[in-house]
Amino acid sequence: MGVFFRNVHTLKGVSGNLSINVIYNTASQIVSLLRANDLEGAKALFPSLEEEYGAVSKAIGLAAEADRR
């Protein structure tokens, strides 16, 4: 759980600093569940976090590509 917690907590901090609220909110929920020792609950939310991260990454990529034109 240590690496999982550290990575999600880091993602929570970075997304919060960048105001990427969709990721921040889910990461916050996962961190709270991990702090409460609810690993199963945290794992259940992880696919949502992956999907949100993918959508944001894609949007950033599209914006960067448009900027290069």
Side-chain angles (χ1 to χ4, degrees):
M1 185 167 85
V3 173
F4 184 38
F5 178 84
R6 185 176 69 237
N7 289 339
V8 174
H9 191 267
T10 299
L11 185 57
K12 174 188 164 201
V14 170
S15 62
N17 287 338
L18 295 173
S19 297
I20 305 172
N21 295 327
V22 66
I23 293 174
Y24 176 81
N25 293 333
T26 303
S28 292
Q29 291 175 0
I30 293 172
V31 166
S32 293
L33 289 166
L34 291 172
R35 285 186 173 143
N37 293 316
D38 184 356
L39 184 57
E40 293 308 312
K43 284 181 179 180
L45 284 178
F46 193 70
S48 294
L49 184 61
E50 286 181 306
E51 184 177 319
E52 293 158 357
Y53 183 88
V56 169
S57 294
K58 182 178 179 179
I60 291 170
L62 290 172
E65 184 178 315
D67 191 48
R68 286 190 290 266
R69 291 181 189 163

